[in-house]
Amino acid sequence: MDAAAPHRLRIAIAGAVQGVGFRPFVYRLAREAGLSGSVCNSGAGVLIEAEGAAPALTHFLDRLAAEAPVNAVVTDRQVVRLQARLTHGFTVAPSAADGPCSAVIMADLATCAACRDELRDPADRRYRYPFTTCVACGPRYSVIAALPYDRARTTLSRFPLCPACAAEYADPGSRRFHAESICCPACGPQLALWDADGSVLATREAALAGAVAALRAGRIVAVKGLGGFQLLVDARNDAAVAALRTRKRRPRKPFALMVADPDAATGLAEVSAAERAALTSPAAPIVLLAPRPEAAQVLAQAVAPGAPCLGIMLPTTPLHHLLLRELGFPVVATSGNHAGAPILADENAALRALSGAADLFLVHDRPIAHAVDDSVVRVIAGEVTVLRRARGYAPLPVAWPAVDAPLLALGGQQKNAVATGFAGRIFLGPHGGDLDGAAARDAFVRAAEGLPALHRLRPARVACDRHPDYASTHYAETLGLPVVRVPHHLAHALSGMVDRGLDGPLLAVAWDGTGYGGDGTIWGGEFLAIDPPRWRRAAHLLAFRLPGGEAAAREPRRAALGALHVLHGAAALEMTGLPPVAAFTEAERRVLATMLARGVAAPLASSAGRLFDAVAALLDLCQRASFEGEAAMAVEAAAAAEAAPLPTPTVSGDRQLVVDWRPTLAALLAARAAGVSVGALAAGFHVALAAAIVAVARATEARQVLLTGGCFQNARLTALAVAGLRAAGIVPFCHRQVPPNDGGLAVGQIAFAAAPLIEENA
């Protein structure tokens, strides 16, 4: 190119480049380089036309790559040379809304430092304004109605800009230059405080003060946050937390906490560098942290009874910052719903549903387009792992080149989340919860319709779980599309492969509670050998019966009876010295004995999750569970630093190996009878299971092992398995951005629908 002559380039940028200040960034670079042209949002991302001398254009391209906004993620850049037009000036042009919308919908972002400073500055016109935002922070996915991302396509369109905000929006020197969520006290959303009947008690600053006073007095306040309602209460107040448990119908499941700043978090829990980075990230998730002993002196006993971790998050919006700064103490901040129902986003619906749970309602008039719960992460094996993907993460995509034609995946029955896939990417929607109630199923249908609609997609196929009785499976059959039914544990494995960019061959250890096996049994302790385009069940845990079927998921004592029956036969039901046997009456034991002997209403299960349940009951940690995973959580929480030596499960068989846990369980029972502590035995059980993973990996000559499924939310089990695999010269992989539990199933379903794998017979 002639260096002096003008040249014109069209630059198409794809990735997370809308809602992150990318257009203002491009505008400033172009002006500094003396270029003419324009930048706009498009259906695919950001489109730039830049004209100028060749050296200036080259420098401009270099800076585009090196200096992008902190929250931007560029996944592709296409540069095409055009004929020069000899134009003057550089502008931010109206968005190009035609054609397919493959642009990334930015996740909601926690309040940035600059906006927090404004909140505290009495001289600033946004001083103490609960909805301040800029190009670097604030609502994104929760307010967007359509792509491309412009104010007119968000729920903020109902708030016309005042002259001061309009001037900032048009000022290239402002942090709010083309900030679509811009607002201020004069033109933006406002607070109101309602009583349980919906009567307005106060507005604006008085509403905030009223909510603070109520929380100090031990009352429960429903707060409309960024993506929906939260129930807040003083986390130090035993009576208030107990009342919240009663009203929310949540007897033991841990509550999340919100604290004012990182220092407050470190006062309650051990916080590593990785955990602090997660806490303070733009996603601002709930981070599961090991509690300090001092936490028991500060927090109400009912905050997280028997849990190995405290779930702690920092304020996520200006409103939360104002509340926590005024209060000066930690609050419980739990989802605004009743147990089993989806999070509520509309204030009138919340008033109807939560009037018996909340004393007051702190609401605002900015509509929420998409309800989105708080995300949950945990540092596992040294890295952050997303356990619940929602606010701050969803619906950001993960790359998977095999995806081409538009696909829809519907996830599973528990921890449901839907996904779409097209053009080499999979977009996982936010956590939607379990599909056991009508309200949850209605929210699921809205998500399944809404996620493709945002991209103006018509899916070519729909993928779902192979289980015939899941609500998501039933819905798939109503859509009039070709249905791809995906094996549950294979979907877990593929979700991890997508997450980590793996193409095999590998051994996937897929351990969870239960999943449809397709062979008349329940799976859940699986070792899948995957070498695309083929996969096979290479090994599994020894199966045992679950008397009562689904009832066993709620009663660990039933799983314990099934495991004892494998060890001792009919005599197991007479071993009343063992806690799970003693937990049943004599009449109940007779019925259960018949079920186990005849296999009636007592399906066989190879489930690692149910084996954890059995151990929880045998160690008398949990006989009846009030929430999914409670028993396994209790085993992890009980595990002491020093582990009692227990034999590793034996591995035997030919093409399909069986991992026999009977020696481990028999030794655990003998040691308990001999007085070995529950903590040492819980730790020893973890060690034995991790050793079994290594043994199967060796037996199958695996070089790479992927740990997937809900059991690998257990940080102790995962860390032991990772260390053991590495010591054996085997490369381990764990989930990171896609949840290892059922919340990630839809990602694996998309991967399978895009490139089906053939099951080899054992």
Side-chain angles (χ1 to χ4, degrees):
M1 284 195 304
D2 182 348
H7 301 272
R8 192 174 188 90
L9 301 178
R10 175 178 291 156
I11 308 159
I13 308 287
V17 290
Q18 294 189 14
V20 293
F22 206 88
R23 288 174 301 166
F25 158 69
V26 170
Y27 177 91
R28 294 187 185 103
L29 288 191
R31 293 292 295 266
E32 290 173 16
L35 303 178
S36 63
S38 65
V39 59
C40 69
N41 281 339
S42 71
V46 167
L47 187 62
I48 305 164
E49 287 199 11
E51 184 171 307
L57 286 169
T58 299
H59 187 53
F60 174 71
L61 290 172
D62 290 343
R63 293 186 69 190
L64 273 181
E67 302 175 24
V70 64
N71 294 314
V73 179
V74 175
T75 57
D76 188 47
R77 186 175 83 175
Q78 301 291 330
V79 181
V80 177
R81 189 178 302 175
L82 305 175
Q83 185 169 348
R85 297 180 185 174
L86 302 179
T87 57
H88 298 283
F90 197 92
T91 63
V92 177
S95 294
D98 296 333
C101 283
S102 59
V104 172
I105 304 164
M106 191 61 202
D108 301 292
L109 300 168
T111 311
C112 70
C115 284
R116 295 198 301 269
D117 288 342
E118 288 179 338
L119 280 180
R120 296 188 291 264
D121 183 1
D124 194 282
R125 70 188 189 91
R126 291 185 177 85
Y127 174 59
R128 295 183 60 81
Y129 179 56
F131 306 99
T132 185
T133 175
C134 70
V135 294
C137 68
R140 299 293 188 266
Y141 171 67
S142 63
V143 297
I144 193 168
L147 287 168
Y149 173 68
D150 290 307
R151 189 180 184 88
R153 299 181 186 88
T154 72
T155 61
L156 282 153
S157 61
R158 64 160 59 185
F159 299 97
L161 297 183
C162 67
C165 283
E168 287 178 301
Y169 185 86
D171 178 7
S174 169
R175 285 193 302 113
R176 296 183 171 87
F177 180 48
H178 282 271
E180 307 302 341
S181 57
I182 186 174
C183 54
C184 77
C187 64
Q190 299 295 342
L191 288 177
L193 186 66
W194 295 355
D195 65 15
D197 295 323
S199 299
V200 178
L201 302 177
T203 62
R204 300 191 177 223
E205 186 72 27
L208 183 69
V212 168
L215 289 166
R216 284 179 176 155
R219 304 180 78 188
I220 299 168
V221 180
V223 176
K224 185 180 180 183
L226 186 144
F229 275 83
Q230 297 165 313
L231 292 169
L232 268 58
V233 73
D234 183 350
R236 309 165 305 169
N237 187 320
D238 287 290
V241 176
L244 178 58
R245 286 210 173 276
T246 300
R247 297 187 198 179
K248 191 174 162 72
R249 301 192 289 274
R250 184 169 166 168
R252 292 190 297 276
K253 189 175 183 180
F255 282 139
L257 298 170
M258 183 178 286
V259 298
D261 52 44
D263 289 342
T266 57
L268 297 174
E270 302 289 345
V271 183
S272 68
E275 289 162 341
R276 187 182 181 95
L279 276 172
T280 58
S281 70
I286 298 168
V287 183
L288 300 185
L289 302 168
R292 290 182 181 274
E294 300 91 320
Q297 308 303 316
V298 175
L299 301 175
Q301 234 180 356
V303 166
C309 298
L310 290 175
I312 296 179
M313 63 177 157
L314 301 185
T316 55
T317 70
L319 172 58
H320 290 97
H321 279 283
L322 291 169
L323 283 170
L324 269 294
R325 190 180 311 124
E326 290 289 316
L327 291 169
F329 54 76
V331 296
V332 165
T334 188
S335 303
N337 54 11
H338 287 294
I343 187 172
L344 294 155
D346 175 78
E347 49 267 34
N348 293 305
L351 185 69
R352 291 190 297 271
L354 300 176
S355 60
D359 298 307
L360 295 174
F361 292 76
L362 185 61
V363 303
H364 58 77
D365 55 351
R366 183 181 70 205
I368 295 171
H370 306 284
V372 57
D373 215 329
D374 296 311
S375 292
V376 179
V377 309
R378 188 177 189 185
V379 172
I380 298 176
E383 295 189 54
V384 173
T385 301
V386 177
L387 304 183
R388 186 167 79 189
R389 187 177 169 96
R391 177 189 49 74
Y393 295 98
L396 294 173
V398 286
W400 194 242
V403 179
D404 184 14
L407 302 170
L408 172 66
L410 300 177
Q413 183 75 6
Q414 310 298 318
K415 297 181 173 64
N416 182 268
V418 302
T420 58
F422 62 98
R425 293 179 295 183
I426 300 174
F427 295 79
L428 180 60
H431 165 82
D434 301 343
L435 304 185
D436 298 326
R441 290 192 290 272
D442 289 345
F444 156 74
V445 171
R446 290 194 297 272
E449 294 173 347
L451 194 58
L454 275 174
H455 294 283
R456 296 203 288 271
L457 293 178
R458 165 83 176 153
R461 297 186 296 283
V462 58
C464 63
D465 196 275
R466 192 180 276 181
H467 198 299
D469 294 329
Y470 281 1
S472 50
T473 303
H474 292 165
Y475 178 71
E477 295 163 351
T478 71
L479 295 179
L481 297 170
V483 178
V484 181
R485 293 171 173 82
V486 187
H488 184 92
H489 296 91
L490 181 60
H492 272 307
L494 291 172
S495 74
M497 292 173 69
V498 171
D499 190 4
R500 301 307 303 270
L502 303 172
D503 56 10
L506 56 77
L507 180 71
V509 184
W511 284 10
D512 62 1
T514 56
Y516 188 71
D519 62 354
T521 70
I522 295 169
W523 288 14
E526 312 311 311
F527 298 80
L528 308 181
I530 301 176
D531 189 2
R534 299 185 182 278
W535 73 282
R536 67 182 180 90
R537 190 188 193 194
H540 60 84
L541 295 181
L542 177 70
F544 60 102
R545 293 198 179 277
L546 300 177
E550 289 187 8
R554 301 185 294 274
E555 297 182 32
R557 59 184 184 159
R558 291 176 180 264
L561 288 191
L564 287 169
H565 195 264
V566 173
L567 280 171
H568 300 291
L573 278 296
E574 304 302 323
M575 303 173 72
T576 54
L578 296 177
V581 182
F584 292 100
T585 66
E586 184 177 349
E588 289 171 333
R589 290 197 296 272
R590 285 198 297 269
V591 173
L592 290 163
T594 301
M595 295 167 67
L596 288 165
R598 298 179 181 177
V600 177
L604 283 169
S606 60
S607 166
R610 296 292 84 85
L611 191 60
F612 263 98
D613 287 358
V615 169
L618 289 168
L619 296 178
D620 206 17
L621 295 169
C622 181
Q623 302 298 337
R624 295 173 181 264
S626 66
F627 63 93
E628 183 192 13
E630 180 178 2
M633 185 184 296
V635 177
E636 183 187 2
E642 295 294 325
L646 296 175
T648 301
T650 59
V651 178
S652 61
D654 187 12
R655 182 163 170 77
Q656 189 174 102
L657 305 174
V658 176
V659 181
D660 189 343
W661 41 262
R662 286 178 295 181
T664 310
L665 218 60
L668 181 145
L669 290 170
R672 185 67 190 125
V676 177
S677 73
V678 166
L681 292 173
F685 180 67
H686 283 81
V687 172
L689 287 190
I693 291 171
V694 177
V696 174
R698 282 177 164 152
T700 57
E701 299 181 346
R703 295 183 178 180
Q704 298 184 118
V705 171
L706 169 68
L707 305 177
T708 186
C711 288
F712 294 106
Q713 298 175 119
N714 181 321
R716 192 182 191 102
L717 174 66
T718 306
L720 286 167
V722 165
L725 290 165
R726 285 177 177 158
I730 301 165
V731 181
F733 293 93
C734 305
H735 283 245
R736 293 296 173 243
Q737 293 298 309
V738 177
N741 55 50
D742 283 10
L745 283 176
V747 170
Q749 292 169 355
I750 292 278
F752 185 91
L757 301 183
I758 302 164
E759 182 177 4
E760 294 182 348
N761 293 325

